[in-house]
Amino acid sequence: MFTTETDAAAQLAADAEALRSTGHDLIDRMADYLAGIESRPVSTPLSPAELERRFDEPLPREGRPAGEVWDEVWRDVVGNAIHFAHPMYMGHQIAPPLPHAVLADTLASLLNQSLAVWEMSPTGTLVEERVVCWLADALGFPASAAGTLVSGGSVANLTGLLAAREARFPGCWTDGVARTPDAERAVLLVSEHSHYSVERTAGLMGLGSHSVVGVGERDGKMCPTELERAIDELRGEGRIPFAVSATAGATAMGLFDPLDQIADVCQRAGVWMHVDGAHGASFVMSDTLRHLVHGIERADSVAWDPHKMLWMPMSTGAVLVRDGRHLEAAFRQKAPYLFHTRPGEDRCRDAGRMTLQCTRRFDALKLWVALRHYGTGHFAGLLERTTATARSLQDKLAAASDFEPMHAVESNILCFRHLPESVRGWTDDEVDAFQAELRARLNASGRGWITTTVLNERRVLRVTLMNPRTGDEHLDRLMEALREIGRELAGT
Ligand SMILES: *Cc1c(COP(=O)(O)O)cnc(C)c1O
């Protein structure tokens, strides 16, 4: 493409100018998007088939002017996106990200440091080390802790439990499960409400998903007495419970397992304690909410998603291991073409030693910028605000005769049902179908966006309140919209 040095220099100047001119325009549009978010429907009005037609285009041979392409991005992509920043979005656990984190993420793309090894990202490695250190400190972990950022909670769970497997059955990594003494008797104990990714890790680790055993629960939380009983029973059968995965902020209801009591059981039994805190580990940031995760400081490993309750753009996941040596052992491997200890240094600084990823984005930058700019106090405020909004919704639902909250709210997730007069006397299946249809029509209307799940075999509505701008007024609008749709459905 370049025939002369002048061409190359001109191209560089043009690239910089493209960033400048399109960048200014893009940032203006992004700011307007955010400021005007409430004037949009929460989600696309188009059907999947209509949307598909918008994007049905052959591989472009000829380029087109940037302005045209960007205009179409705004029309087709942004115009039909799900707007997580909209205060009526109350669906999945996705954050409306903090603006400085969004900007830092853009800069991370420009710098494109790869966190695989020090020599591709010296500052990236140090920034990530610092962020991991802050997260470990916030958990109350000792100085022996180590960790890494990963793509999210699923990979964090896998990484933490891989460290657990190698700690209990050394040799699995090199010799394989079948040839490692006792490994075939391994059992992973989990909360009934654990995220599906936890069970998946057992399959991925070659232990088989049948090695996962659910522990009995009380009020939607892992019961420590049942845990102790399960460990004794399994041992009596000659099986080896090697790890317990407790949940801090379970996906369905946002409830916290009693971590401190679970830590007592794990300590007595000598079993690795993993905490899936993808949603809830962030609660350590708030003095008034920290009691929910009391005992997390005693865990052997923790999965923590800053892209949920620390309001980072995805992907930003983290795994922290109490004794860092176990994390290193989990991926014991030599790759002399990649990992180095430089002369005169006593340790290898390459972050890739501790994760299954090689090339890895500089995700630490946004978290580093955000923590330094906002400080933990700001995050505590966001956590307290969204949790208070969920409590407020619970109070409103409980006070209304046509709504029923399904559980006491602990975090910012709440499951409930709408039960107007007109559905009294309907069968359970009919009431289930009614809830599902309420949700489908609300989401299609663009007025709001919620999810559903199944609790005790009944279909329920579910909200996750991730947006600090969602307030009482929006909760009232949600209830009103559901009532209106309910009347349409019941034909009253
Ligand atoms: C969201 C979630 C996960 C999965 O995390 P990803 O970041 O989506 O990979 C795991 N566990 C719990 C409890 C979660 O809420």
Side-chain angles (χ1 to χ4, degrees):
M1 188 173 161
F2 307 133
T3 49
T4 67
E5 300 223 339
T6 333
D7 285 350
Q11 186 61 47
L12 185 62
D15 284 352
E17 193 45 38
L19 273 185
R20 192 185 318 280
S21 58
T22 308
H24 279 297
D25 185 49
L26 182 63
I27 296 287
D28 280 342
R29 280 181 167 188
M30 285 165 66
D32 290 344
Y33 164 82
L34 202 54
I37 197 79
E38 288 201 60
S39 64
R40 293 174 179 268
V42 183
S43 57
T44 178
L46 301 184
S47 70
E50 288 170 313
L51 259 186
E52 215 171 318
R53 275 197 296 281
R54 289 271 176 115
F55 294 94
D56 183 11
E57 178 190 12
L59 175 67
R61 286 187 158 272
E62 300 293 327
R64 291 165 51 212
E68 265 178 54
V69 174
W70 279 106
D71 283 346
E72 287 165 8
V73 168
W74 282 91
R75 190 191 66 202
D76 296 334
V77 179
V78 182
N80 295 296
I82 303 280
H83 304 297
F84 297 110
H86 198 299
M88 291 302 292
Y89 181 87
M90 306 178 195
H92 295 283
Q93 300 149 277
I94 307 232
L98 293 166
H100 286 280
V102 172
L103 293 171
D105 217 16
T106 309
L107 180 59
S109 290
L110 178 70
L111 295 178
N112 214 23
Q113 308 286 289
S114 173
L115 270 288
V117 291
W118 169 272
E119 66 192 24
M120 292 189 224
S121 56
T123 51
T125 304
L126 290 175
V127 167
E128 179 169 287
E129 277 180 13
R130 182 49 41 196
V131 165
V132 163
C133 191
W134 286 341
L135 296 181
D137 280 351
L139 288 176
F141 268 12
S144 60
T148 173
L149 295 194
V150 289
S151 66
S154 307
V155 174
N157 284 332
L158 172 63
T159 309
L161 291 167
L162 214 43
R165 186 192 68 172
E166 201 59 22
R168 177 62 185 79
F169 305 107
C172 274
W173 182 261
T174 36
D175 302 331
V177 172
R179 258 169 274 139
T180 301
D182 301 334
E184 282 183 322
R185 294 192 282 141
V187 176
L188 170 62
L189 289 153
V190 303
S191 335
E192 290 287 347
H193 280 100
S194 64
H195 190 262
Y196 74 87
S197 62
V198 175
E199 184 173 334
R200 215 172 243 194
T201 61
L204 285 165
M205 292 195 296
L207 301 174
S209 57
H210 288 313
S211 68
V212 178
V213 171
V215 177
E217 57 173 42
R218 203 186 317 139
D219 302 326
K221 303 170 175 202
M222 183 186 282
C223 167
T225 319
E226 288 287 316
L227 173 62
E228 192 143 40
R229 201 181 54 72
I231 292 174
D232 288 344
E233 228 174 75
L234 287 160
R235 285 183 170 162
E237 293 166 13
R239 302 176 77 189
I240 305 175
F242 75 103
V244 173
S245 179
T247 314
T251 312
M253 295 183 275
L255 302 180
F256 292 80
D257 286 342
L259 301 181
D260 202 44
Q261 290 163 274
I262 291 170
D264 287 340
V265 175
C266 288
Q267 199 168 9
R268 275 200 297 277
V271 173
W272 181 286
M273 177 177 170
H274 174 74
V275 175
D276 178 359
H279 189 78
S282 298
F283 284 72
V284 297
M285 296 278 181
S286 157
D287 290 342
T288 56
L289 295 169
R290 189 175 173 117
H291 66 94
L292 291 166
V293 285
H294 177 54
I296 201 168
E297 68 283 357
R298 298 172 65 192
D300 293 294
S301 54
V302 173
W304 181 349
D305 265 352
H307 65 213
K308 288 178 176 164
M309 299 302 286
L310 290 183
W311 286 269
M312 290 297 110
M314 64 184 87
S315 296
T316 326
V319 57
L320 292 312
V321 177
R322 171 180 209 83
D323 179 343
R325 288 172 302 182
H326 290 307
L327 183 56
E328 297 229 8
F331 298 103
R332 202 190 332 256
Q333 205 169 14
K334 286 201 171 64
Y337 54 89
L338 201 57
F339 303 139
H340 303 289
T341 306
R342 265 152 290 278
E345 284 191 352
D346 57 354
R347 67 187 177 104
C348 171
R349 286 181 164 274
D350 298 335
R353 290 171 355 268
M354 293 187 292
T355 133
L356 59 88
Q357 289 164 272
C358 178
T359 294
R360 205 154 49 87
R361 251 177 79 77
F362 187 7
D363 287 317
L365 184 63
K366 56 198 166 196
L367 191 50
W368 187 71
V369 168
L371 283 167
R372 295 178 79 225
H373 170 58
Y374 299 101
T376 57
H378 184 73
F379 290 95
L382 293 174
L383 287 155
E384 287 154 21
R385 158 85 182 167
T386 50
T387 307
T389 309
R391 272 199 300 272
S392 175
L393 178 59
Q394 172 181 257
D395 293 345
K396 286 172 186 288
L397 298 173
S401 60
D402 53 347
F403 283 94
E404 174 190 41
M406 307 305 293
H407 58 94
V409 73
E410 274 193 328
S411 59
N412 56 333
I413 302 179
L414 179 58
C415 296
F416 63 98
R417 292 196 298 175
H418 178 38
L419 300 171
E421 227 16 80
S422 50
V423 310
R424 306 280 155 85
W426 288 15
T427 66
D428 282 348
D429 286 349
E430 286 167 344
V431 173
D432 284 357
F434 178 74
Q435 306 304 320
E437 191 58 24
L438 280 173
R439 185 248 178 176
R441 292 203 189 185
L442 175 75
N443 291 3
S445 75
R447 296 169 71 185
W449 213 102
I450 63 174
T451 61
T452 77
T453 186
V454 174
L455 293 181
N456 297 322
E457 294 174 33
R458 294 273 70 88
R459 175 66 57 186
V460 300
L461 304 174
R462 171 178 173 273
V463 294
T464 311
L465 299 164
M466 300 288 291
N467 190 339
R469 291 177 292 273
T470 301
D472 276 338
E473 169 212 343
H474 303 101
L475 303 179
D476 293 339
R477 273 163 58 186
L478 170 69
M479 289 170 70
E480 248 345 283
L482 290 171
R483 284 183 174 124
E484 273 176 40
I485 297 167
R487 283 196 291 272
E488 266 167 44
L489 280 174
T492 53

